[in-house]
Amino acid sequence: MKILVLGSGAREHAIIKALLAEEAGHQIIAAPGNIGIAGDVTVVGIDQENPSIVRDFARDEGVDLVVIGPEAPLVAGVADKLRAARIPVFGPNRSAAALEGSKSYAKRIMDEAGVPTGRAVRAETVEDAIAALDEYGAPYVVKADGLAAGKGVLVTTERDAAIEHATYWLGYGGVLVEEFLEGPEVSLFFVTDGETVYPLSPAQDYKRLLDADAGPNTGGMGAYSPLPWLDERFGGEDLFVDEVLKTIAIPVVQQMAAEKNPFSGLLYAGLILTERGIRVIEFNARFGDPETQVVLPRLVTPLSALLFGAATGTLAQQPKPAFAEASAVTVVLASENYPEKPVTGRPITGLDQTVAVDGVHLVHAATADVDGGLVATGGRVLNVVALGTTFTEARARAYDAIGRIQLEGGQYRTDIAARVAD
Ligand code: AMP
Ligand code: GLY
């Protein structure tokens, strides 16, 4: 197949590596891609958020499938434009991407579909917000209602900070005040064509910047998959996944179809496993980053068949996703001062040393070639991904590899997957 992948991050690099690993031998183009992706496939500098430009490019190139990685092109209506031109596209239309972009839309869909989530109140004024904060009590959870580039959620025990956050985001639309949910977090992805829903294997993301979950929230500092501790609680990963499929993913997909706003693409369920049961904390309309980097290397059935099946309404005819037993760990290397104000432009060296470590590969997020040398151009710079037969082995490999990379002021967590290693 000729496949166009939109996006420029580590997630897209992971998607491309999974497509390249298939026996079929696809022709892949990335737009705009990044310097790491350019080492693997052709990259083109078209504007991924301009629906007409993407459509015209896909048509002129005779592309069989367009895969949309990030949310920005979804929100810009790129999938809508491609669908109107009958070009197969993996990713929901703009109105269905509201499941990610609008927290209140997601809450309404969950309400209608009977999906378990935290209680929440949408506040329009500071007085409403304070009343809701006092009703639920500490710890406080305040969420911007629209897309906020990962900065919209505050979880805090300080009432004043919660009020300040609510006041700030009220200036950009509404905010949601939510009850605090306690328990381990799980990211679970579903591929769907709007009717058939196939689950992938669960992963755990590390959202806080620092070890032991200290520091500010980030886009994600590392991840691992699968989650062996699900066995004890649910009697196995399959039983857990099946419960989420039946009580969360299928009801949401059916509800959206019934409302004539079908969701096709990647449904990402962010879950908290509370003592009272599984609760949804958020949906995303795209693959998660960095979770994709540990889920896709374990996928043994062809990714392209899943994406194409979702894009063409033929998912039920495609093989169900199956996963290798392997343990996968990814560690993110971030720039100094990430996430506040990342320092960019610094050289990165030692990448060639990581190939000496078994079971390791790199995916790039924010790197560029300047005068023949690699430099960091953003907050999350690259990921080391390691596979092993055990988490102890995968973790040792990941940290061996990341230790060989030099970036002045670079930061990474040292406790990724520690809880599942011996
Ligand atoms: P989100 O952007 O919705 O994924 O939220 C970012 C992070 O805030 C999540 O990964 C959780 O760690 C935390 N969070 C969000 N909602 C809640 C909640 N209701 N209770 C506790 N923690 C939450
Ligand atoms: N890792 C969290 C996200 O992709 O939203």
Side-chain angles (χ1 to χ4, degrees):
M1 263 196 280
K2 190 164 184 177
I3 306 172
L4 171 64
V5 179
L6 300 185
S8 63
R11 162 184 50 210
E12 288 75 32
H13 201 177
I15 291 170
I16 288 166
K17 283 201 181 286
L19 292 170
L20 287 174
E22 290 178 26
E23 279 168 21
H26 304 294
Q27 187 183 343
I28 298 170
I29 307 171
N34 62 38
I35 197 84
I37 292 172
D40 291 339
V41 299
T42 306
V43 298
V44 291
I46 63 165
D47 180 359
Q48 58 162 328
E49 292 177 36
N50 185 316
S52 301
I53 288 180
V54 173
R55 179 205 51 201
D56 292 349
F57 179 83
R59 195 186 264 154
D60 294 348
E61 289 289 322
V63 161
D64 301 304
L65 171 67
V66 180
V67 178
I68 301 181
E71 68 215 52
L74 300 173
V75 173
V78 172
D80 304 58
K81 194 64 117 187
L82 290 164
R83 278 201 179 90
R86 304 201 171 279
I87 298 168
V89 54
F90 182 78
N93 278 354
R94 177 191 195 145
S95 57
L99 196 62
E100 167 165 0
S102 164
K103 303 253 184 216
S104 49
Y105 176 77
K107 285 283 185 202
R108 187 185 66 70
I109 291 290
M110 285 190 271
D111 266 358
E112 307 272 351
V115 166
T117 182
R119 289 179 303 145
V121 175
R122 188 177 196 282
E124 310 275 354
T125 65
V126 178
E127 291 70 37
D128 287 354
I130 293 174
L133 289 168
D134 289 340
E135 188 196 331
Y136 294 139
Y140 305 100
V141 181
V142 182
K143 301 184 172 184
D145 195 10
L147 283 176
K151 294 190 178 128
V153 177
L154 182 71
V155 181
T156 178
T157 53
E158 318 253 322
R159 186 170 174 273
D160 288 349
I163 294 171
E164 195 186 317
H165 189 79
T167 308
Y168 176 84
W169 285 104
L170 278 166
Y172 296 88
V175 297
L176 241 59
V177 175
E178 198 170 282
E179 70 175 317
F180 178 78
L181 300 169
E182 192 154 20
E185 284 183 44
V186 174
S187 302
L188 186 53
F189 302 157
F190 299 88
V191 174
T192 178
D193 58 7
E195 206 179 311
T196 300
V197 188
Y198 282 172
L200 302 187
S201 181
Q204 190 163 56
D205 180 18
Y206 289 73
K207 287 234 165 72
R208 301 283 184 149
L209 180 69
L210 305 172
D211 283 6
D213 293 330
N217 257 318
T218 70
M221 293 299 291
Y224 67 91
S225 175
L227 309 181
W229 45 267
L230 287 172
D231 291 3
E232 197 178 310
R233 180 149 169 195
F234 292 89
E237 173 177 319
D238 290 354
L239 293 173
F240 167 78
V241 167
D242 205 51
E243 181 175 339
V244 182
L245 176 70
K246 292 198 174 116
T247 62
I248 294 169
I250 291 176
V252 163
V253 168
Q254 284 179 345
Q255 182 64 30
M256 290 182 71
E259 294 188 12
K260 303 276 181 291
N261 190 25
F263 187 98
S264 133
L266 198 288
L267 175 64
Y268 164 144
L271 308 166
I272 292 192
L273 313 190
T274 75
E275 285 194 340
R276 288 181 296 141
I278 303 169
R279 299 281 184 277
V280 175
I281 42 168
E282 64 164 346
F283 285 121
N284 293 315
R286 43 147 186 100
F287 278 102
D289 188 349
E291 298 96 313
T292 302
Q293 287 87 302
V294 286
V295 172
L296 293 188
R298 299 183 45 241
L299 179 68
V300 292
T301 44
L303 176 63
S304 63
L306 290 175
L307 305 184
F308 189 75
T312 54
T314 60
L315 191 58
Q317 294 150 41
Q318 310 297 336
K320 282 196 177 147
F323 289 85
E325 284 293 321
S327 305
V329 173
T330 188
V331 183
V332 173
L333 176 65
S335 292
E336 183 172 354
N337 266 336
Y338 172 76
E340 270 308 296
K341 204 174 173 300
V343 179
T344 59
R346 288 196 174 142
I348 313 160
T349 55
L351 297 198
D352 49 339
Q353 301 300 311
T354 63
V355 295
V357 188
D358 277 344
V360 163
H361 66 267
L362 303 179
V363 287
H364 289 240
T367 58
D369 190 346
V370 174
D371 300 330
L374 203 64
V375 299
T377 58
R380 289 192 291 176
V381 178
L382 54 79
N383 293 47
V384 168
V385 184
L387 293 170
T389 51
T390 63
F391 277 110
T392 306
E393 182 176 58
R395 233 175 87 72
R397 289 172 166 178
Y399 282 107
D400 179 357
I402 206 165
R404 295 170 187 236
I405 300 173
Q406 292 88 40
L407 167 66
E408 188 191 336
Q411 21 176 5
Y412 59 85
R413 281 184 64 155
T414 66
D415 62 348
I416 306 298
R419 70 187 62 150
V420 288
D422 299 326

